[in-house]
Amino acid sequence: MENSTNNIFTFVEESLHKKNERDLFDTGYLKEDDFKEILDLPVKNAKVLVENRNSIIYLIIIKDGKKIVGKQSKSLSFEILNQEYNSILKMYELNNTVFCNPMGFGLNREHNIYFLEYINFSSVAELLKSTNGIHNLQNISGLIGQGLFKIHSKLNNNMQYVDDNHQLITDVLKTPIKINRRKKNILTKAKQALEGISFPYGLVYRDFDPLNVYVSGNTLSLIDPPERFVKTYLFWDIATFSVGIKKELIRRKFVISKEVYDKVDCIIGAITNEYIQNIKSENKNKNSVKLIILILELQRLGELIGNQLKHKHKNKKFSKAYL
C-alpha cells in the first residue's frame, strides 16, 4: 500500500480499531466486482483500509490509476448517510484558493456506501507528533484562518452579527463539566465583559478538528463531512480546532509543557488574527474575541464529555488531563 491509513481517514482513538488490510474475499466485505457494478468503472484493485464499530473504509483503484475512497456505514441509516454525502457535495462547492475538498462519486443504497475522491494529504493531527511538526503547524496557521473565513463566507452569503452571549454562557453552565461557585463567578464576569458585543454568526463546519483538516504544502482539505451544518458563532470552528489540538496532544501522551502550550496559543492566535482581519464587524477587539473563543471551547469540551458519557467511553486520562 503506497500511503498510510492516516492519509485517508483518521478516527478518534476511543472508536478506532485499526486492522490489517483484508482480503476482500472475506465474508461481509465488498469485492472488486461489486465496485465495478456500483461505480460502473474498470476497477483494478480494492482494499479495506480501516474498520471501526461504525464504518468500513475502502480504497478502490481504477485501471487508469485514479483512486477512490468508499465509506460504508454500519450504523447510519441511508437517509443520514445521504445527508453526509450531500455535505461532501456542499464542501466541494466551497473550494477556494486554500481549501481543495474532495469530489463526491455517488452513493449506493443497497450497500449503504458513498464514494469520494482520494486526497493524498496528511491530517494536521499528524503534525502534532513532534515539536518540529508543531512548528510546521505554526507556519500554516495563518493559512488555516484565511481558508476558514473563505468557507464561512461561502456558507453565509450575508454574514450576521449577533449578541447571544447570555445564552451561550447559560448553555455552558448546563454541560457535564463540574462547575463550582468560583468558576460560575468567572463565567458571570465573562458575560458582563461581553455584554452588548456582537460576533459573526451563521453556519459552521462544526467538526473543524485537526483530525479532519488535511494538508499538503499550502493546500488544505476537509475530508470528513458533517452530517449537517449548524448555526452558531462562527468562532466555534476555531474553538473546536483549539480543543482538538490539546486533545490530540494528550492522546499522543505529549507533555504539554509551558513551551508547547505557548506554541499552541500562538497557533490559535495566528488563525484568529488572520480570520478577524477579514470580518466587517466594528468590534475587532482581540481580547473580546479571545474570550468568546475560550467560552466556546468550554462548550465544545462539554459536548465531547457528554458524548463520552452517552457512549459510556470513560477515558479518565483524557478528562483528568484536560480538566
Side-chain angles (χ1 to χ4, degrees):
M1 184 173 65
E2 295 177 4
N3 297 284
S4 68
T5 300
N6 287 319
N7 284 351
I8 310 295
F9 280 85
T10 310
F11 294 87
V12 178
E13 184 179 42
E14 64 195 30
S15 67
L16 178 62
H17 303 288
K18 288 186 179 179
K19 299 184 179 181
N20 294 330
E21 291 179 2
R22 300 173 184 275
D23 187 333
L24 294 190
F25 289 98
D26 285 356
T27 304
Y29 295 98
L30 295 174
K31 308 172 182 64
E32 282 89 346
D33 287 343
D34 295 318
F35 291 119
K36 286 178 185 177
E37 182 179 345
I38 296 169
L39 293 167
D40 194 24
L41 290 171
V43 174
K44 179 182 178 182
N45 191 18
K47 294 181 181 298
V48 173
L49 291 178
V50 177
E51 181 181 4
N52 65 17
R53 61 190 173 88
N54 295 318
S55 308
I56 303 172
I57 306 299
Y58 296 91
L59 176 64
I60 303 111
I61 302 172
I62 311 304
K63 286 186 178 178
D64 64 3
K66 181 186 293 181
K67 296 178 181 179
I68 297 173
V69 172
K71 178 180 178 181
Q72 185 178 34
S73 177
K74 296 189 282 185
S75 60
L76 299 179
S77 67
F78 182 75
E79 287 68 27
I80 296 177
L81 192 72
N82 188 32
Q83 289 177 20
E84 194 172 293
Y85 179 70
N86 284 332
S87 294
I88 288 176
L89 301 181
K90 181 68 174 177
M91 291 308 301
Y92 184 71
E93 292 175 5
L94 298 177
N95 280 352
N96 52 60
T97 54
V98 177
F99 276 91
C100 178
N101 300 317
M103 183 192 331
F105 279 97
L107 71 166
N108 180 273
R109 178 186 288 271
E110 181 184 354
H111 298 289
N112 214 38
I113 187 170
Y114 66 71
F115 303 92
L116 67 158
E117 178 185 7
Y118 170 82
I119 299 289
N120 188 19
F121 291 10
S122 296
S123 72
V124 168
E126 288 297 296
L127 297 178
L128 300 173
K129 281 184 173 180
S130 64
T131 304
N132 187 52
I134 294 173
H135 177 72
N136 292 337
L137 180 54
Q138 282 183 281
N139 292 337
I140 62 168
S141 52
L143 195 68
I144 293 171
Q146 179 188 345
L148 182 59
F149 179 82
K150 288 177 182 290
I151 284 177
H152 285 168
S153 296
K154 284 192 174 183
L155 278 174
N156 304 279
N157 293 327
N158 298 309
M159 201 174 284
Q160 296 177 296
Y161 293 85
V162 173
D163 173 8
D164 195 29
N165 308 322
H166 175 79
Q167 185 59 47
L168 172 62
I169 292 175
T170 301
D171 288 345
V172 169
L173 290 169
K174 293 178 183 177
T175 63
I177 304 172
K178 291 182 180 179
I179 299 176
N180 58 29
R181 183 178 296 178
R182 177 175 169 273
K183 291 173 183 176
K184 284 182 180 179
N185 289 338
I186 292 172
L187 285 170
T188 300
K189 289 179 180 178
K191 182 168 65 176
Q192 292 169 351
L194 295 171
E195 190 172 349
I197 300 176
S198 298
F199 296 101
Y201 193 96
L203 293 173
V204 298
Y205 177 75
R206 196 179 189 305
D207 201 12
F208 196 76
D209 188 283
L211 288 164
N212 296 333
V213 182
Y214 281 59
V215 60
S216 178
N218 288 327
T219 304
L220 302 172
S221 184
L222 290 167
I223 300 292
D224 196 19
E227 289 178 15
R228 61 189 176 89
F229 298 95
V230 298
K231 270 194 171 185
T232 181
Y233 283 124
L234 301 188
F235 291 127
W236 168 272
D237 281 338
I238 296 177
T240 296
F241 195 81
S242 179
V243 170
I245 288 177
K246 296 163 190 172
K247 175 168 64 71
E248 190 64 18
L249 289 173
I250 292 168
R251 187 179 78 85
R252 295 184 182 280
K253 299 179 181 178
F254 202 106
V255 178
I256 306 185
S257 62
K258 185 179 184 305
E259 181 185 359
V260 172
Y261 186 85
D262 287 345
K263 286 183 178 180
V264 171
D265 199 41
C266 285
I267 289 166
I268 300 304
I271 292 172
T272 305
N273 291 340
E274 184 64 36
Y275 188 97
I276 64 176
Q277 281 182 23
N278 294 283
I279 64 177
K280 297 177 182 178
S281 174
E282 293 179 2
N283 173 56
K284 293 189 180 182
N285 183 290
K286 290 182 180 180
N287 289 332
S288 297
V289 171
K290 190 172 183 179
L291 181 56
I292 197 72
I293 289 174
L294 184 60
I295 295 170
L296 288 166
E297 283 189 38
L298 287 174
Q299 191 179 41
R300 171 63 172 174
L301 185 57
E303 180 184 74
L304 290 174
I305 293 173
N307 288 340
Q308 265 193 338
L309 295 173
K310 182 179 177 182
H311 294 100
K312 297 181 180 179
H313 290 308
K314 296 181 180 178
N315 187 336
K316 295 179 181 178
K317 186 175 292 185
F318 166 74
S319 54
K320 283 181 180 178
Y322 204 122
L323 299 177

